[in-house]
Amino acid sequence: MDKKGSGGLVYFLLGIYTLMISWHYNHSIILLIIHYIFWPIYLVYELLTGHLSHDMWKIIPESYFK
């Protein structure tokens, strides 16, 4: 199996996950675009500040599919 393709898929899915987090907290198109450009930095920031603690990492994506 080609490992190179699976890494790209994970990178893409983490980017989409970061956009979901950004929209959940900000509801701003401009910030969504900025967070899409710098999504790895924004994802680490959200993890370090604790915005994804207390099961928020799981609740945010579920809120889009209810």
Side-chain angles (χ1 to χ4, degrees):
M1 179 170 249
D2 186 6
K3 291 183 180 181
K4 193 173 188 181
S6 64
L9 180 62
V10 171
Y11 190 81
F12 174 74
L13 291 176
L14 282 174
I16 297 297
Y17 180 69
T18 304
L19 294 179
M20 293 166 73
I21 294 167
S22 174
W23 187 256
H24 179 79
Y25 285 118
N26 302 310
H27 293 285
S28 169
I29 297 292
I30 303 222
L31 284 176
L32 193 71
I33 293 168
I34 292 170
H35 292 154
Y36 178 71
I37 295 169
F38 300 108
W39 75 261
I41 296 167
Y42 180 69
L43 185 58
V44 170
Y45 167 77
E46 289 294 323
L47 288 168
L48 291 177
T49 57
H51 287 150
L52 298 178
S53 61
H54 304 292
D55 283 340
M56 286 306 289
W57 66 270
K58 186 172 59 173
I59 293 170
I60 292 172
E62 286 177 353
S63 69
Y64 289 102
F65 297 107
K66 286 185 178 180

